[in-house]
Amino acid sequence: MHTRISVYTKSVGGIAGRARIYPDILQTVSKALRADGEIISDSFVTHVADRLVALVVENKDSAKIVRAAFEKAEKIAEEKGLFRNPSAESSFTLEFSELCGEQIVLFLSASEDEKFWERIFENSESSACGVSAFLCRADGEYPTVAELCEKFADKNLNENGICPVSLCETVFVRTKVVPVAALGFSVHNGKLTGPVDLFDTSLFESARIRASGI
């Protein structure tokens, strides 16, 4: 089966500056995307710091639908008087022939540096990235999920402030520490199972201590 997954990210409004997104924004966008069953076969909505993230399994280009949902989010942010980050929207698409046991990992970073992922991953046909998000296939002929996650336990990366954390800890409150979350999914017939919060484990505690400079 041919599968097409797009990821859209945009800072639509944050509480306490860029610290965190308003919960109603996530619910509103998630509901809007799930209302369409023709173009969008499945979706997952989350955030990293104040940046809204929509992962969409699409039958054809879903940009118009996603942007309409993002506009609803921006309206909520405006009504609440939330911090409006001027950072532009980012989007990318990963297309592939779905394998038996298809696994993908979505990495999310509070950094808005477009070259952030180049420091960690090599570009390949099995991955795609944009501002704050990196999506890649895993297992089979590709690196395993564990091998991908292991990169974030690298001492050199940690000592440069790259900090693997659970999704709920991607709050942006340090200038020299960049929280990164990893979400794992299984994909079958254009449907998502998951996510698994891959950094939500004490196995990355040492990496977190190094990154936070303790």
Side-chain angles (χ1 to χ4, degrees):
M1 176 177 177
H2 184 77
T3 300
R4 175 186 168 105
I5 300 179
S6 290
V7 177
Y8 299 83
T9 76
K10 188 175 185 180
S11 296
V12 295
I15 302 171
R18 290 193 54 214
R20 192 178 293 280
I21 206 165
Y22 186 60
D24 282 6
I25 286 176
L26 299 177
Q27 296 169 9
T28 297
V29 173
S30 180
K31 183 178 179 180
L33 297 185
R34 291 187 180 279
D36 180 277
E38 182 179 347
I39 294 177
I40 298 175
S41 63
D42 206 355
S43 62
F44 177 76
V45 178
T46 187
H47 74 100
V48 55
D50 66 327
R51 199 167 185 89
L52 179 63
V53 179
L55 184 150
V56 178
V57 185
E58 55 189 13
N59 298 315
K60 52 185 177 179
D61 189 3
S62 62
K64 185 176 181 180
I65 296 171
V66 175
R67 284 170 184 148
F70 279 19
E71 287 176 4
K72 291 181 179 180
E74 290 176 309
K75 185 176 181 181
I76 293 173
E78 184 178 356
E79 291 172 351
K80 292 289 182 182
L82 303 182
F83 174 76
R84 304 302 297 274
N85 186 341
S87 178
E89 177 187 308
S90 175
S91 64
F92 59 87
T93 299
L94 183 62
E95 296 188 58
F96 53 89
S97 295
E98 194 178 296
L99 301 175
C100 180
E102 185 72 50
Q103 313 298 310
I104 61 171
V105 180
L106 176 65
F107 290 96
L108 300 172
S109 164
S111 172
E112 294 186 331
D113 181 356
E114 293 184 4
K115 296 184 178 181
F116 175 82
W117 303 110
E118 294 179 9
R119 291 187 284 167
I120 306 168
F121 298 105
E122 294 180 3
N123 293 328
S124 71
E125 294 181 357
S126 64
S127 65
C129 65
V131 176
S132 298
F134 181 94
L135 182 67
C136 57
R137 301 172 74 183
D139 289 301
E141 60 186 284
Y142 306 109
T144 66
V145 171
E147 287 171 335
L148 291 168
C149 291
E150 187 69 29
K151 292 178 180 289
F152 292 87
D154 180 86
K155 183 178 179 180
N156 291 329
L157 286 180
N158 301 152
E159 290 179 346
N160 280 302
I162 296 176
C163 186
V165 299
S166 64
L167 182 63
C168 67
E169 294 181 331
T170 56
V171 59
F172 187 75
V173 290
R174 294 280 303 274
T175 58
K176 296 182 180 180
V177 179
V178 182
V180 179
L183 302 178
F185 298 83
S186 292
V187 185
H188 181 63
N189 291 336
K191 297 292 184 180
L192 301 169
T193 300
V196 175
D197 193 342
L198 297 169
F199 290 154
D200 185 18
T201 168
S202 60
L203 294 175
F204 287 95
E205 193 60 36
S206 295
R208 289 190 275 268
I209 290 173
R210 286 194 296 268
S212 58
I214 296 175

